[in-house]
Amino acid sequence: MNSLPETLPDETNALQKMVLDYQSTVDQLQEKLTWYEEQFRLFQHQRFGASSEKCPDQMELFNEAESILDALKQEETDLEETVSYQRKKPGRKPLSRHLPREVVRYELPEAERVCDCGHALHEAGEDTSEQLEIIPAQIKLIEHVQVKYACRACENGIINAPKPAQPIPRSFASASLLAYIIVAKFMDSLPLYRQETIFKRLSIDLSRATLSIWVLKSAELLAPFYDRLHELLILQKILQADETTLNVIQDGRETKSKSYMWLYQSGGHEAECPIVLYEYQATRAGAHAASFLQGFSGHLQVDGYAGYHALASDDCLLVGCMAHARRKFDEALKALPKASRKNKMGMAQTALRKFTRLYAFEKQFKDLTIEQRYLLRQEKCKPLLDDLKQWCDDHVTRTAKDSTIGKAIRYTLNQWSSLIRYIDDGNIHIDNNAAERRIKPFVIGRKNWLFNQTPRGANASALLYSLVQTAVANNLEPFDYLKYLLTELPKLGRHYEPEALDQFLPWNLIEKVKPLK
C-alpha cells in the first residue's frame, strides 16, 4: 500500500515523456507530409500548368503595379525626362516598310467603265491591301577563273592572277554558305541533319559530316576574334553570368556526367559595347568562372549559385538577382492548395506584392538616366527593401525550414547583401533576366540537336553562339555580320596583332552590315 504513491509519479513522468515523443514524431511526420504535398502540387504545376510566373491568382498584384505607375507619373512631373506609359492596343502590327514592294493595280476594262445610266465612270478612290509573298532560297555556283600569264621572250615562269583568301582553303564553301549554315543552327536551332535534307531538296549533296567539318573550321578561323571580344569584355565594369547544362558524349569521362555552357555578357543599362560570350566547361565548378573573368574589376550580377562566390572580392562585387528571389515565393504560392491561393493575406501573396512594388518602380525608371535612376532608387526602393527585409526577419522563425515558403524566406535572407546592391549604382539591373534571355537560344537549340559529340564541337558551338548573339545584341543581322567576318578575316593572313581585329567589332560596322529588323 505504501509503495503505490511512490511509483505513480514515475509512471506519470514516463507516460508524459512518451506522449511528448509521440507528439514530436507526429509533428515531424506532418511536416514531411506537408512537404511532399507541396512538392506534388509544384511538380504538377510545372508539368501541366502555365510556365509563366504571371498566374491569374496574382491579378490584384499587377493591378496594384498599374496604380503605382500612375501615381509615380504624377509624382515625377518635376523631372526633366518623364516616362510615358501607354497601354498596348490589340490588333495586327503593320508590315515592315523596308521590304521590297511590288504594286499590283486592278482596274476595270475600258468597256466596263460605263454606268447603267450611260455616263462614263471616273476614279473615286482606291482600296489597298497587303499580302506577303516568299521567294525560296536560291543557290548559285561561283566559278573562280584565275588567268595565267607567261612571257614568251624569257620563259621565266607562269604568273597566276591572285584569288582572294577563302575562309576554308581548297573548299567549295563560300563565306555566305558558311554564314547561312551557322545562323541556321546557332540562331534558328536547325540541326545539321535537317539542313542536310534541305540541301538535298535544292539538289545539293552535302552530308552532315561535311557540314560539321565546315562548322569546326569556321570556328577555328573565328577563334582569334572571340579571344579579342573576351579581352574587351573583361574591361567592362558591369557583367552578368549564367550557366546551363550540356550533354557531351565523348568527353573522356567514364560516367555520363553533365557538362555546362557558361554565359558572360555586358550587364549595364547603358552598355556602349554589348558583348555576349559562351564558354564550354566539363563541370559547374566556380573556378571556371574565376578563370574566365580573371582580371575583371567591377560588378558581376549572378543568381544564387554558390560557385560564383569564388569570385567575390574587393575588386569583384557580386550582385544578386531579385527575379530568383521572387521566383521562390512564386513557387511557394503554386505549391499551396487552390483554396489557400485565393487567400489575399497569405505569406506568399504578401511577399509577391512587395516584389511587385519594386518592379513597378524599375519599369518607371527604365528610360531615365543613370543618375536619375540612382537617386530615385534611394528614395523609392530603399524603404521597400527595408520593409521586405523586416518582413522576412519576422516570419523566418514561423516557417518550417524545408517548406517552400520557408526556403523562399531563407534564400532571400541569405542573398540579401547581394540582392540590394543594385540600388547603389543606377546602371545595374534589378535582376539577371537579361543573361537568362541570352542563354535561352542555346536551351532551345539543345532541345533540337540534343548533344555535342566531342568537346571540340562543344567549344565550337560556344564560339559561334557567342558571335551570333553578340551581333543580335548590337542590332546587326547575324548572317550579314558572319558573312562579312568570314570574307574579311582570311585577308589578314596568319600573323597579325589583336588590335587589327578591332575594325571588325560589331559596333564599328553599323554602316557596313545590315541592321537587324
Side-chain angles (χ1 to χ4, degrees):
M1 296 292 295
N2 295 332
S3 62
L4 183 59
E6 295 178 359
T7 59
L8 187 58
D10 294 337
E11 294 178 357
T12 302
N13 293 335
L15 289 173
Q16 289 177 345
K17 185 177 182 301
M18 187 180 300
V19 170
L20 292 176
D21 291 341
Y22 281 133
Q23 185 62 46
S24 177
T25 302
V26 169
D27 292 341
Q28 292 176 5
L29 292 174
Q30 184 61 44
E31 287 184 6
K32 186 173 292 187
L33 176 62
T34 302
W35 183 84
Y36 279 120
E37 289 176 343
E38 289 180 341
Q39 294 304 308
F40 172 75
R41 286 189 290 267
L42 187 58
F43 291 152
Q44 194 175 36
H45 187 278
Q46 292 173 350
R47 178 66 179 86
F48 302 107
S51 59
S52 174
E53 296 179 6
K54 297 180 180 180
C55 59
D57 298 329
Q58 298 177 17
M59 288 306 297
E60 292 86 355
L61 304 181
F62 293 96
N63 290 337
E64 181 181 357
E66 297 291 341
S67 63
I68 292 175
L69 288 173
D70 294 337
L72 279 173
K73 287 184 198 176
Q74 191 65 28
E75 293 178 7
E76 305 301 336
T77 51
D78 56 333
L79 289 175
E80 294 181 2
E81 297 184 14
T82 59
V83 180
S84 60
Y85 175 77
Q86 186 175 2
R87 190 178 298 277
K88 293 182 180 179
K89 297 181 179 179
R92 187 176 65 183
K93 294 183 179 179
L95 299 175
S96 174
R97 293 293 177 184
H98 299 283
L99 294 173
R101 184 174 295 270
E102 176 185 349
V103 178
V104 180
R105 188 178 180 87
Y106 303 96
E107 297 181 348
L108 289 175
E110 289 287 346
E112 298 181 12
R113 299 182 189 178
V114 180
C115 182
D116 294 339
C117 67
H119 291 82
L121 297 176
H122 69 277
E123 293 186 12
E126 296 177 348
D127 288 330
T128 303
S129 61
E130 295 178 330
Q131 188 178 46
L132 283 176
E133 182 171 320
I134 189 168
I135 302 174
Q138 297 179 350
I139 295 181
K140 68 178 180 180
L141 185 65
I142 299 178
E143 183 177 351
H144 297 274
V145 179
Q146 295 177 260
V147 179
K148 297 181 178 181
Y149 297 90
C151 177
R152 289 192 176 93
C154 64
E155 297 183 356
N156 198 22
I158 297 177
I159 300 176
N160 279 14
K163 183 177 72 172
Q166 300 299 307
I168 303 179
R170 296 182 297 278
S171 169
F172 61 85
S174 66
S176 62
L177 179 59
L178 294 174
Y180 176 86
I181 295 169
I182 292 171
V183 171
K185 179 175 181 180
F186 298 104
M187 184 172 182
D188 301 329
S189 305
L190 197 62
L192 296 181
Y193 75 88
R194 294 185 189 172
Q195 295 192 50
E196 179 184 9
T197 60
I198 293 174
F199 282 117
K200 281 185 178 179
R201 295 204 306 268
L202 297 172
S203 301
I204 305 296
D205 188 12
L206 287 176
S207 68
R208 72 188 73 177
T210 300
L211 296 176
S212 178
I213 292 173
W214 286 354
V215 168
L216 293 174
K217 289 187 176 296
S218 298
E220 292 175 0
L221 172 64
L222 296 167
F225 189 68
Y226 173 92
D227 295 336
R228 182 56 178 164
L229 289 174
H230 184 196
E231 294 174 1
L232 297 176
L233 182 70
I234 300 300
L235 299 178
Q236 300 196 17
K237 293 302 180 183
I238 301 175
L239 299 181
Q240 292 180 326
D242 199 6
E243 74 289 333
T244 189
T245 57
L246 169 67
N247 188 14
V248 179
I249 303 298
Q250 302 174 5
D251 62 353
R253 291 181 290 179
E254 295 182 359
T255 59
K256 297 298 181 182
S257 302
K258 291 181 179 179
S259 300
Y260 286 85
M261 189 67 77
W262 295 71
L263 169 76
Y264 309 90
Q265 72 164 16
S266 310
H269 277 277
E270 300 179 8
E272 297 181 358
C273 305
I275 299 175
V276 182
L277 296 184
Y278 294 76
E279 186 197 27
Y280 159 73
Q281 289 293 348
T283 68
R284 201 187 182 193
H288 299 312
S291 175
F292 190 88
L293 297 179
Q294 185 177 5
F296 169 71
S297 177
H299 290 87
L300 176 64
Q301 190 163 38
V302 294
D303 55 26
Y305 173 49
Y308 292 110
H309 294 171
L311 289 85
S313 65
D314 294 337
D315 293 330
C316 181
L317 299 177
L318 297 184
V319 182
C321 175
M322 196 66 69
H324 276 76
R326 182 194 178 280
R327 194 168 299 151
K328 301 292 183 182
F329 290 98
D330 183 74
E331 292 175 357
L333 179 64
K334 292 173 180 176
L336 293 175
K338 289 185 178 180
S340 300
R341 294 183 201 174
K342 298 179 180 179
N343 180 12
K344 298 181 181 180
M345 301 307 295
M347 283 194 290
Q349 292 91 327
T350 301
L352 286 171
R353 287 191 184 91
K354 298 180 184 298
F355 282 100
T356 299
R357 293 188 183 98
L358 289 171
Y359 273 92
F361 280 117
E362 288 303 310
K363 188 175 182 180
Q364 181 70 11
F365 303 158
K366 180 180 178 181
D367 296 326
L368 301 182
T369 64
I370 295 176
E371 181 63 22
Q372 288 173 333
R373 191 179 297 112
Y374 166 75
L375 294 175
L376 287 172
R377 279 176 174 175
Q378 295 294 321
E379 178 187 353
K380 304 290 185 181
C381 300
K382 192 173 184 304
L384 295 179
L385 291 169
D386 294 339
D387 176 67
L388 177 60
K389 174 66 162 55
Q390 186 62 49
W391 183 88
C392 290
D393 288 334
D394 294 341
H395 290 80
V396 66
T397 57
R398 304 179 188 178
T399 58
K401 185 177 180 181
D402 293 332
S403 64
T404 52
I405 187 65
K407 288 181 179 179
I409 293 175
R410 286 165 177 81
Y411 176 89
T412 303
L413 292 176
N414 292 336
Q415 300 288 325
W416 189 255
S417 59
S418 60
L419 285 175
I420 64 173
R421 193 162 281 151
Y422 79 96
I423 67 171
D424 295 331
D425 189 332
N427 198 24
I428 300 178
H429 288 279
I430 187 175
D431 54 38
N432 202 35
N433 283 351
E436 291 190 353
R437 287 192 294 270
R438 289 297 180 196
I439 211 169
K440 189 175 181 180
F442 174 83
V443 175
I444 294 174
R446 184 182 60 195
K447 293 180 180 179
N448 290 328
W449 43 258
L450 300 179
F451 59 85
N452 280 106
Q453 191 71 27
T454 63
R456 183 188 177 195
N459 284 316
S461 296
L463 187 149
L464 296 172
Y465 266 113
S466 300
L467 297 187
V468 167
Q469 290 303 316
T470 297
V472 172
N474 287 271
N475 197 37
L476 295 181
E477 172 57 49
F479 170 79
D480 286 345
Y481 183 56
L482 285 171
K483 178 183 175 182
Y484 185 85
L485 289 180
L486 293 169
T487 301
E488 299 298 327
L489 282 177
K491 298 178 182 179
L492 295 179
R494 294 186 178 181
H495 305 288
Y496 51 84
E497 296 296 328
E499 290 76 12
L501 298 171
D502 290 354
Q503 59 182 310
F504 306 123
L505 295 172
W507 48 88
N508 293 333
L509 296 176
I510 302 299
E511 298 180 355
K512 294 183 179 181
V513 178
K514 186 170 68 174
L516 183 66
K517 297 295 188 297

PDB file of all heavy atoms in Angstrom, residues 140-152:
ATOM      1  N   LYS A 140      23.518  29.586-106.173  1.00  0.00           N
ATOM      2  CA  LYS A 140      24.206  29.699-107.448  1.00  0.00           C
ATOM      3  C   LYS A 140      25.660  29.258-107.282  1.00  0.00           C
ATOM      4  O   LYS A 140      26.215  29.279-106.171  1.00  0.00           O
ATOM      5  CB  LYS A 140      24.135  31.131-107.984  1.00  0.00           C
ATOM      6  CG  LYS A 140      24.913  32.149-107.172  1.00  0.00           C
ATOM      7  CD  LYS A 140      24.819  33.532-107.820  1.00  0.00           C
ATOM      8  CE  LYS A 140      25.606  34.572-107.019  1.00  0.00           C
ATOM      9  NZ  LYS A 140      25.520  35.913-107.622  1.00  0.00           N
ATOM     10  N   LEU A 141      26.261  28.882-108.369  1.00  0.00           N
ATOM     11  CA  LEU A 141      27.637  28.398-108.378  1.00  0.00           C
ATOM     12  C   LEU A 141      28.548  29.513-108.885  1.00  0.00           C
ATOM     13  O   LEU A 141      28.327  30.062-109.963  1.00  0.00           O
ATOM     14  CB  LEU A 141      27.759  27.169-109.275  1.00  0.00           C
ATOM     15  CG  LEU A 141      29.117  26.477-109.300  1.00  0.00           C
ATOM     16  CD1 LEU A 141      29.438  25.896-107.929  1.00  0.00           C
ATOM     17  CD2 LEU A 141      29.132  25.389-110.357  1.00  0.00           C
ATOM     18  N   ILE A 142      29.527  29.865-108.076  1.00  0.00           N
ATOM     19  CA  ILE A 142      30.508  30.879-108.474  1.00  0.00           C
ATOM     20  C   ILE A 142      31.752  30.150-108.970  1.00  0.00           C
ATOM     21  O   ILE A 142      32.390  29.401-108.226  1.00  0.00           O
ATOM     22  CB  ILE A 142      30.861  31.809-107.305  1.00  0.00           C
ATOM     23  CG1 ILE A 142      29.610  32.548-106.825  1.00  0.00           C
ATOM     24  CG2 ILE A 142      31.937  32.808-107.725  1.00  0.00           C
ATOM     25  CD1 ILE A 142      29.856  33.453-105.638  1.00  0.00           C
ATOM     26  N   GLU A 143      32.088  30.349-110.215  1.00  0.00           N
ATOM     27  CA  GLU A 143      33.274  29.716-110.802  1.00  0.00           C
ATOM     28  C   GLU A 143      34.416  30.727-110.815  1.00  0.00           C
ATOM     29  O   GLU A 143      34.337  31.765-111.486  1.00  0.00           O
ATOM     30  CB  GLU A 143      32.958  29.244-112.220  1.00  0.00           C
ATOM     31  CG  GLU A 143      34.104  28.505-112.870  1.00  0.00           C
ATOM     32  CD  GLU A 143      33.739  27.975-114.242  1.00  0.00           C
ATOM     33  OE1 GLU A 143      32.544  28.040-114.601  1.00  0.00           O
ATOM     34  OE2 GLU A 143      34.638  27.519-114.966  1.00  0.00           O
ATOM     35  N   HIS A 144      35.452  30.444-110.052  1.00  0.00           N
ATOM     36  CA  HIS A 144      36.625  31.328-109.979  1.00  0.00           C
ATOM     37  C   HIS A 144      37.608  30.938-111.081  1.00  0.00           C
ATOM     38  O   HIS A 144      38.098  29.798-111.113  1.00  0.00           O
ATOM     39  CB  HIS A 144      37.304  31.213-108.615  1.00  0.00           C
ATOM     40  CG  HIS A 144      36.435  31.647-107.477  1.00  0.00           C
ATOM     41  ND1 HIS A 144      36.348  32.961-107.066  1.00  0.00           N
ATOM     42  CD2 HIS A 144      35.608  30.944-106.665  1.00  0.00           C
ATOM     43  CE1 HIS A 144      35.507  33.048-106.047  1.00  0.00           C
ATOM     44  NE2 HIS A 144      35.045  31.834-105.787  1.00  0.00           N
ATOM     45  N   VAL A 145      37.897  31.838-111.946  1.00  0.00           N
ATOM     46  CA  VAL A 145      38.841  31.608-113.047  1.00  0.00           C
ATOM     47  C   VAL A 145      40.050  32.506-112.836  1.00  0.00           C
ATOM     48  O   VAL A 145      39.938  33.735-112.888  1.00  0.00           O
ATOM     49  CB  VAL A 145      38.188  31.885-114.418  1.00  0.00           C
ATOM     50  CG1 VAL A 145      39.203  31.653-115.550  1.00  0.00           C
ATOM     51  CG2 VAL A 145      36.958  31.017-114.616  1.00  0.00           C
ATOM     52  N   GLN A 146      41.201  31.889-112.569  1.00  0.00           N
ATOM     53  CA  GLN A 146      42.446  32.641-112.390  1.00  0.00           C
ATOM     54  C   GLN A 146      43.245  32.574-113.681  1.00  0.00           C
ATOM     55  O   GLN A 146      43.733  31.515-114.075  1.00  0.00           O
ATOM     56  CB  GLN A 146      43.266  32.053-111.232  1.00  0.00           C
ATOM     57  CG  GLN A 146      42.583  32.190-109.873  1.00  0.00           C
ATOM     58  CD  GLN A 146      43.380  31.534-108.775  1.00  0.00           C
ATOM     59  OE1 GLN A 146      43.080  30.417-108.351  1.00  0.00           O
ATOM     60  NE2 GLN A 146      44.418  32.235-108.300  1.00  0.00           N
ATOM     61  N   VAL A 147      43.379  33.710-114.309  1.00  0.00           N
ATOM     62  CA  VAL A 147      44.093  33.782-115.592  1.00  0.00           C
ATOM     63  C   VAL A 147      45.593  33.638-115.345  1.00  0.00           C
ATOM     64  O   VAL A 147      46.149  34.237-114.417  1.00  0.00           O
ATOM     65  CB  VAL A 147      43.785  35.108-116.307  1.00  0.00           C
ATOM     66  CG1 VAL A 147      44.543  35.182-117.634  1.00  0.00           C
ATOM     67  CG2 VAL A 147      42.286  35.231-116.535  1.00  0.00           C
ATOM     68  N   LYS A 148      46.233  32.828-116.168  1.00  0.00           N
ATOM     69  CA  LYS A 148      47.674  32.622-116.079  1.00  0.00           C
ATOM     70  C   LYS A 148      48.387  33.503-117.097  1.00  0.00           C
ATOM     71  O   LYS A 148      47.911  33.681-118.230  1.00  0.00           O
ATOM     72  CB  LYS A 148      48.021  31.163-116.338  1.00  0.00           C
ATOM     73  CG  LYS A 148      47.439  30.191-115.317  1.00  0.00           C
ATOM     74  CD  LYS A 148      47.849  28.778-115.651  1.00  0.00           C
ATOM     75  CE  LYS A 148      47.296  27.814-114.606  1.00  0.00           C
ATOM     76  NZ  LYS A 148      47.711  26.406-114.900  1.00  0.00           N
ATOM     77  N   TYR A 149      49.556  34.026-116.723  1.00  0.00           N
ATOM     78  CA  TYR A 149      50.335  34.894-117.595  1.00  0.00           C
ATOM     79  C   TYR A 149      51.761  34.339-117.692  1.00  0.00           C
ATOM     80  O   TYR A 149      52.320  33.843-116.701  1.00  0.00           O
ATOM     81  CB  TYR A 149      50.377  36.329-117.059  1.00  0.00           C
ATOM     82  CG  TYR A 149      49.010  36.986-116.994  1.00  0.00           C
ATOM     83  CD1 TYR A 149      48.225  36.882-115.850  1.00  0.00           C
ATOM     84  CD2 TYR A 149      48.518  37.704-118.082  1.00  0.00           C
ATOM     85  CE1 TYR A 149      46.982  37.472-115.792  1.00  0.00           C
ATOM     86  CE2 TYR A 149      47.267  38.305-118.027  1.00  0.00           C
ATOM     87  CZ  TYR A 149      46.498  38.193-116.878  1.00  0.00           C
ATOM     88  OH  TYR A 149      45.266  38.780-116.816  1.00  0.00           O
ATOM     89  N   ALA A 150      52.319  34.444-118.884  1.00  0.00           N
ATOM     90  CA  ALA A 150      53.694  33.974-119.122  1.00  0.00           C
ATOM     91  C   ALA A 150      54.374  34.873-120.145  1.00  0.00           C
ATOM     92  O   ALA A 150      53.711  35.583-120.920  1.00  0.00           O
ATOM     93  CB  ALA A 150      53.692  32.529-119.607  1.00  0.00           C
ATOM     94  N   CYS A 151      55.690  34.874-120.142  1.00  0.00           N
ATOM     95  CA  CYS A 151      56.487  35.690-121.066  1.00  0.00           C
ATOM     96  C   CYS A 151      57.116  34.769-122.125  1.00  0.00           C
ATOM     97  O   CYS A 151      57.850  33.831-121.790  1.00  0.00           O
ATOM     98  CB  CYS A 151      57.572  36.440-120.311  1.00  0.00           C
ATOM     99  SG  CYS A 151      58.672  37.413-121.393  1.00  0.00           S
ATOM    100  N   ARG A 152      56.840  35.033-123.409  1.00  0.00           N
ATOM    101  CA  ARG A 152      57.392  34.212-124.479  1.00  0.00           C
ATOM    102  C   ARG A 152      58.868  34.497-124.699  1.00  0.00           C
ATOM    103  O   ARG A 152      59.605  33.655-125.237  1.00  0.00           O
ATOM    104  CB  ARG A 152      56.629  34.469-125.781  1.00  0.00           C
ATOM    105  CG  ARG A 152      55.212  33.907-125.790  1.00  0.00           C
ATOM    106  CD  ARG A 152      54.631  33.950-127.192  1.00  0.00           C
ATOM    107  NE  ARG A 152      53.309  33.330-127.254  1.00  0.00           N
ATOM    108  CZ  ARG A 152      52.175  33.992-127.124  1.00  0.00           C
ATOM    109  NH1 ARG A 152      52.199  35.304-126.935  1.00  0.00           N
ATOM    110  NH2 ARG A 152      51.020  33.351-127.199  1.00  0.00           N
TER     111      ARG A 152
END
